Amino acid sequence: MIRNPEHYLERDGGSAQVLTHARLLLKLGRRFEAIAPTAFRQAARVANFRSGVVVILAENGAVAAKIRQMSQRLCDELSRGGTQCNELEVKVQPRKNALQSIPSMQKGLSGKALAQVGGLAAGLPPGPLRTALERLAQCPREES
């Protein structure tokens, strides 16, 4: 029987916490898109949530200023979605330009990392995830 990767993530305590937080962020992101004015839906996004504070990233200062002005209303609306929002923290972070090329250097994994990936693959049932990890474990090692 082939199981999805979430099954394996949920079994590990640390991974389960990360998965739960990711699901919460997706829920908050969808809720923000639903309640935010149309002009801001593409220019701002939910970045994090901690202790009742929702962190919003805005593409520019103008959008950030408008969201700050609306923060109490947006916070109330987010709270109605089931997650207690006490405060909105708005930060400016422009989105990366997808057309801008960034030179990359291909760097291999260390021998230890390759061994761990191979061990992980050996513990999984046959399927696409195991095949991908086995292929990764056969990549060339990083040169020292």
Side-chain angles (χ1 to χ4, degrees):
M1 169 164 59
I2 297 176
R3 296 186 177 162
N4 65 11
E6 283 186 21
H7 168 77
Y8 297 102
L9 290 173
E10 288 170 344
R11 287 178 41 190
D12 179 46
S15 297
Q17 287 179 332
V18 171
L19 190 59
T20 301
H21 191 71
R23 287 178 178 147
L24 175 63
L25 291 178
L26 284 172
K27 176 183 170 187
L28 284 170
R30 282 190 226 105
R31 181 81 179 136
F32 178 77
E33 287 177 6
I35 63 172
T38 308
F40 301 137
R41 290 181 187 156
Q42 298 299 317
R45 62 196 180 280
V46 172
N48 202 359
F49 175 81
R50 61 183 179 278
S51 303
V53 178
V54 176
V55 179
I56 304 286
L57 296 181
E59 284 188 3
N60 57 57
V63 172
K66 287 302 252 181
I67 291 174
R68 283 186 191 109
Q69 288 175 351
M70 301 169 39
S71 66
Q72 189 57 52
R73 184 182 72 82
L74 290 171
C75 214
D76 291 343
E77 289 291 329
L78 287 171
S79 292
R80 284 191 190 110
T83 304
Q84 184 60 40
C85 175
N86 301 323
E87 180 184 347
L88 276 186
E89 184 178 326
V90 184
K91 298 181 179 184
V92 176
Q93 185 179 56
R95 292 186 194 249
K96 292 183 179 179
N97 185 351
L99 301 176
Q100 183 180 19
S101 79
I102 299 171
S104 64
M105 295 177 56
Q106 194 138 28
K107 186 173 180 180
L109 295 174
S110 68
K112 182 179 176 182
L114 289 172
Q116 288 178 336
V117 169
L120 177 62
L124 293 174
L129 180 59
R130 180 177 178 162
T131 304
L133 289 174
E134 288 171 341
R135 193 169 47 243
L136 177 62
Q138 295 172 356
C139 288
R141 285 183 41 176
E142 150 186 275
E143 293 181 20
S144 303

